[in-house]
Amino acid sequence: MTIQSIKNSIRNVPDFPKQGIQFKDITTALKDAEILKEILDTCAQHYRDKKIDYVVGIESRGFIFGTALAYLLNCGFIPVRKPGKLPAKVISQEYELEYGTDRIEMHADALTRGDNVLIVDDLLATGGTAKAAADLVQKTGAKVVEFAFVIELNDLHGRDKLTPIADVYSVVEY
């Protein structure tokens, strides 16, 4: 199994969700047990020697990879969700979209000062959501150790928004 095998397993869907977008669909990679294992093992190997206390997964596909990676790294998992989805007291962070703004939330007591956090999502595009997740983590006094993505779309320069905070790791890049 190689990185190219992972890349080949990701389906391209033209004009989704709107005209001109080349959507990278990970469901074809998820359904292949060997590819899924390779993605997770590749990420786990990258982080094995780093002191990670928690993996923060961004809704929703960050949950898929984040929980499995937390298990492999023997650490906890913290969900970052869309507004109104978490039952206890939350902290929130607004971020800009192409047209307008959105918001994400995390339980206020999820992290504490000094915790080392890995932020995980399936895709890095513009970096807005991942940056907002990092802002939430930093509000608690925890430290973002690194950002991890299965896919990075280089032409959208999301990495530029994140590298002032922490290093960025991507399994495959387009």
Side-chain angles (χ1 to χ4, degrees):
M1 206 54 57
T2 66
I3 297 300
Q4 191 59 48
S5 299
I6 295 170
K7 199 171 191 177
N8 291 344
S9 75
I10 298 167
R11 174 173 41 200
N12 189 61
V13 181
D15 301 321
F16 183 84
K18 62 182 183 178
Q19 189 72 27
I21 302 291
Q22 298 294 315
F23 186 82
K24 302 300 182 199
D25 179 15
I26 62 162
T27 62
T28 48
L30 291 172
K31 76 177 192 175
D32 185 320
E34 289 183 29
I35 294 290
L36 179 57
K37 184 176 182 338
E38 183 68 20
I39 291 168
L40 291 168
D41 287 348
T42 298
C43 287
Q45 182 61 37
H46 182 79
Y47 293 106
R48 194 149 325 274
D49 296 329
K50 298 187 183 199
K51 185 181 175 342
I52 306 291
D53 298 310
Y54 295 99
V55 171
V56 166
I58 300 171
E59 186 172 350
S60 67
R61 290 178 301 265
F63 294 0
I64 297 167
F65 298 103
T67 53
L69 193 53
Y71 171 79
L72 292 171
L73 296 174
N74 195 32
C75 64
F77 176 80
I78 308 293
V80 167
R81 305 227 39 205
K82 295 172 182 163
K85 303 288 187 179
L86 294 170
K89 183 179 177 189
V90 298
I91 55 175
S92 63
Q93 183 65 45
E94 191 171 273
Y95 63 100
E96 291 190 26
L97 298 169
E98 189 176 351
Y99 299 103
T101 61
D102 207 346
R103 192 167 47 109
I104 55 174
E105 297 178 337
M106 178 177 73
H107 278 134
D109 62 356
L111 298 168
T112 58
R113 182 168 303 286
D115 288 337
N116 291 316
V117 174
L118 171 64
I119 296 176
V120 176
D121 206 357
D122 67 317
L123 179 84
L124 173 58
T126 64
T129 309
K131 166 78 168 65
D135 291 343
L136 284 175
V137 167
Q138 291 172 327
K139 282 180 182 181
T140 69
K143 177 186 178 199
V144 178
V145 174
E146 197 161 310
F147 296 91
F149 302 94
V150 177
I151 301 167
E152 181 175 353
L153 303 178
N154 291 326
D155 289 349
L156 298 177
H157 306 288
R159 179 179 290 260
D160 297 343
K161 195 175 285 182
L162 304 179
T163 53
I165 301 165
D167 288 339
V168 174
Y169 173 74
S170 301
V171 178
V172 297
E173 298 178 29
Y174 293 92

